[in-house]
Amino acid sequence: MISAALYDTKPYDREYFQNALFREKIDWQFHEFRLSASTAATATGMDAVCIFVNDCLDRTCITQLSKAGVKLIALRCAGYNNVDLKAAKEFGFTIVRVPAYSPHAVAEHSVGLLLTLNRHIHRAYNRVREHNFSLTGLIGFDLAGKTVGIVGTGKIGRIAAKIYRGFDCRVIAHDISPCHDWAAQQGIEYTSLSGLLNESDIISLHLPLNSETYHLLCRETFKQMKQGVYLVNTSRGGLIDTTGLLEALKADCIGGVALDVYEREGGIFFEDHSGHILQDDELNLLLAYPNVLMTSHQAFLTHEALSEIARITTENIIRLQANQPYIDETVL
């Protein structure tokens, strides 16, 4: 039987992996703590490790995994900015991921965040529960007729763009590898990043995090945006420079910000910190703004997505044991 250690797991991870097809062929070890250099020794004797977005596989950790005899690194997510790919290659590791567990889940959550923020649904919900039925301060705006800028037109970005087209929005897009045929079919215009920033009433980010996209939105790019623009980010927190964002919010340049990710979310997101004071001053400031809405990296959290994550990851681990090729498009 092949062995695999899952790190940074929650009850829903255990539920879906324990119910995945071929689960009986894998000896699972579920860990609530994250995988890092300081915890890598727990992988000793494991054939595979399975990690999530806030595990840290730097060179030191990968060196220890190699000494521990691990053969496969499986990411139960699409992003891989937390893995030192160069070091992994040097040590001969195969790395697999789940490139498209449910693009609909993430795209739908991003639009849901915007609707909630714009129409003040979260504030209205709290008011009504306290029997306050006043509508003062709850004015939003129609999406119809607004210009939405989609930055990144991969699977998730395309679905988000299509949803906004359904609201009768004008949708413009920017991508380093534009798909003009798709854009023409959907009535979407590609433009430069500066053009998108200048024209958009709403900007939605759908990009991986790498050296070229890190702090894509920063002091300089915030200055190029329309007064009162709304920003949505369900991709990676590092796409936005938090310090610059706070300055733009304080200067009243931004109408609203909807975030499912935060650049220093590791050690904060996925955990209950309600019993003590957060030590991250910038996060505390963000949460204090009435025009900022944040969820804790839950865009992926649907039945369909969790099922697909467990299915693809489990099957790839089984293929390691059977010495078969991994699922198409999952190998980095």
Side-chain angles (χ1 to χ4, degrees):
M1 181 178 287
I2 194 166
S3 58
L6 278 75
Y7 293 86
D8 197 16
T9 61
K10 299 293 184 260
Y12 47 80
D13 294 307
R14 295 189 283 275
E15 175 187 349
Y16 279 85
F17 273 89
Q18 288 173 337
N19 287 300
L21 192 64
F22 304 124
R23 63 195 179 278
E24 69 280 357
K25 296 183 178 181
I26 302 176
D27 178 18
W28 297 111
Q29 286 193 10
F30 295 97
H31 299 299
E32 294 185 4
F33 55 84
R34 296 185 176 92
L35 180 58
S36 66
S38 63
T39 62
T42 60
T44 301
M46 294 289 107
D47 297 298
V49 294
C50 179
I51 66 168
F52 199 45
V53 296
N54 288 321
D55 294 290
C56 179
L57 271 70
D58 56 16
R59 177 174 289 273
T60 304
C61 181
I62 288 171
T63 301
Q64 294 186 39
L65 292 179
S66 179
K67 292 177 180 177
V70 173
K71 303 178 185 68
L72 178 69
I73 297 171
L75 285 72
R76 58 184 192 275
C77 53
Y80 48 88
N81 56 282
N82 55 332
V83 180
D84 186 333
L85 297 181
K86 182 179 178 182
K89 183 177 181 180
E90 290 176 10
F91 282 95
F93 278 110
T94 297
I95 302 176
V96 294
R97 61 173 180 150
V98 186
Y101 39 85
S102 177
H104 289 277
V106 181
E108 290 170 9
H109 190 77
S110 69
V111 178
L113 280 176
L114 175 70
L115 289 170
T116 301
L117 179 63
N118 168 38
R119 299 305 301 271
H120 307 286
I121 294 170
H122 54 310
R123 296 177 63 195
Y125 171 79
N126 287 328
R127 283 189 190 183
V128 170
R129 286 180 62 84
E130 296 177 354
H131 298 176
N132 177 359
F133 300 96
S134 167
L135 299 182
T136 301
L138 302 183
I139 297 173
F141 57 82
D142 291 359
L143 291 186
K146 300 298 185 296
T147 297
V148 178
I150 302 291
V151 186
T153 54
K155 292 181 175 68
I156 298 170
R158 292 187 193 186
I159 293 170
K162 188 175 180 180
I163 294 172
Y164 282 115
R165 289 291 291 138
F167 280 101
D168 285 335
C169 295
R170 174 190 175 222
V171 176
I172 58 178
H174 173 73
D175 197 296
I176 58 172
S177 300
C179 183
H180 294 289
D181 290 342
W182 162 80
Q185 292 171 1
Q186 299 295 328
I188 292 167
E189 313 159 41
Y190 274 107
T191 184
S192 64
L193 179 61
S194 60
L196 183 147
L197 298 176
N198 287 327
E199 294 185 49
S200 298
D201 302 298
I202 298 157
I203 296 173
S204 191
L205 301 180
H206 302 282
L207 293 168
L209 179 61
N210 53 46
S211 59
E212 302 197 351
T213 62
Y214 177 71
H215 283 185
L216 181 73
L217 299 189
C218 57
R219 287 186 179 95
E220 291 71 25
T221 46
F222 287 134
K223 293 175 183 177
Q224 300 176 46
M225 298 177 190
K226 272 187 174 182
Q227 176 76 27
V229 66
Y230 272 58
L231 305 178
V232 185
N233 185 13
T234 54
S235 295
R236 286 291 184 267
L239 299 176
I240 298 179
D241 171 20
T242 305
T243 302
L245 176 61
L246 286 166
E247 291 173 0
L249 282 164
K250 187 175 181 180
D252 202 24
C253 297
I254 294 176
V257 182
L259 304 172
D260 187 53
V261 289
Y262 172 64
E263 64 176 322
R264 291 186 296 277
E265 67 182 56
I268 299 176
F269 280 22
F270 308 115
E271 308 297 339
D272 182 0
H273 299 278
S274 59
H276 58 268
I277 297 172
L278 286 178
Q279 297 303 306
D280 188 321
D281 291 340
E282 289 197 326
L283 179 56
N284 284 325
L285 275 174
L286 272 178
L287 294 173
Y289 277 94
N291 56 341
V292 173
L293 175 64
M294 184 177 288
T295 52
S296 56
H297 212 135
Q298 74 175 71
F300 77 99
L301 201 66
T302 66
H303 168 71
E304 292 80 3
L306 290 169
S307 298
E308 188 69 354
I309 288 169
R311 182 190 73 80
I312 291 177
T313 305
T314 299
E315 186 170 337
N316 269 334
I317 293 173
I318 293 296
R319 290 187 181 200
L320 168 67
Q321 182 184 40
N323 198 27
Q324 296 176 340
Y326 297 105
I327 298 172
D328 290 344
E329 300 182 359
T330 64
V331 179
L332 290 174

